[in-house]
Each structure stands twice: as structure tokens, then as C-alpha cells.
């Protein structure tokens, strides 16, 4: 699959910011990561870009926390790679 163009990267950034804004401000979600990743994945699939959504979990004391992120051409999109190492992947697709 082709690498994203600069125009596609710009559009992805706008979608990322817009989805984050809409879900946190209007939808009042404190954790927009999964929905945002799914929206981006859907757009990227229509563009023919190589992406997948990853969902991971981590233990924080007695709490189990989840996080979802987009992987674009094998690299996490808008994520700090070191921060993802603490998550155990339970879905990738």
C-alpha cells in the first residue's frame, strides 16, 4: 500500500483534532481514544492506507485501564511509543 501523502497527513491531523474535540467537549468523553482511532481507521481505509487499530490494557493498582490507538504503516499515530509499552495488546485489526 502507498505511503500517505502530505495532504493525507494534514487531513488525518484535522480528523484527529476534530474527533478529540467533538468527543471530549461535546460528547463529554474523558477517554476518546478508541472512537477516534476507529474514525481515523475508517477514513484511512477509504484512502487505501495501511492502518490497523490496536486495543491494549494495563493494570493500575486494582484497576484495569484500556487504551486504543491507530497504527499507520507499522508506527503508532499520535502516540508516544514508550507509553504504549505498558499496555498488553488484546486486539489488533
Amino acid at each position: 500500500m502507498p505511503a500517505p501523502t502530505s495532504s493525507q497527513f494534514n487531513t488525518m491531523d484535522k480528523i484527529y483534532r476534530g474527533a478529540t474535540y467533538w468527543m471530549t467537549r461535546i460528547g463529554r468523553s474523558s477517554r476518546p481514544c478508541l472512537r477516534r482511532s476507529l474514525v481515523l481507521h475508517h477514513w484511512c481505509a477509504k484512502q487505501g492506507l495501511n492502518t490497523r487499530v490496536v486495543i491494549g490494557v494495563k493494570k493500575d493498582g486494582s484497576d484495569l485501564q484500556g487504551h486504543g490507538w491507530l497504527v499507520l504503516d507499522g508506527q503508532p499515530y499520535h502516540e508516544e511509543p514508550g507509553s504504549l509499552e505498558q499496555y498488553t495488546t488484546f486486539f489488533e485489526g
Side-chain angles (χ1 to χ4, degrees):
M1 292 190 176
T5 65
S6 61
S7 175
Q8 287 172 320
F9 268 123
N10 289 339
T11 301
M12 286 180 69
D13 286 340
K14 288 177 185 178
I15 293 169
Y16 182 93
R17 289 190 315 270
T20 301
Y21 178 83
W22 191 90
M23 285 180 255
T24 56
R25 302 294 177 129
I26 298 169
R28 305 215 188 266
S29 172
S30 62
R31 308 232 348 135
C33 56
L34 180 58
R35 288 185 185 107
R36 178 181 57 221
S37 297
L38 291 170
V39 167
L40 281 164
H41 178 68
H42 179 75
W43 183 84
C44 288
K46 287 187 167 197
Q47 299 296 309
L49 300 175
N50 182 23
T51 61
R52 62 186 191 279
V53 174
V54 180
I55 302 171
V57 294
K58 72 176 181 176
K59 191 96 162 135
D60 184 20
S62 62
D63 293 333
L64 188 63
Q65 296 180 348
H67 183 53
W69 62 94
L70 185 77
V71 174
L72 173 65
D73 287 333
Q75 298 297 315
Y77 179 74
H78 270 280
E79 298 286 343
E80 294 294 325
S83 67
L84 298 177
E85 292 172 358
Q86 57 190 322
Y87 289 93
T88 300
T89 300
F90 75 90
F91 175 82
E92 193 167 343

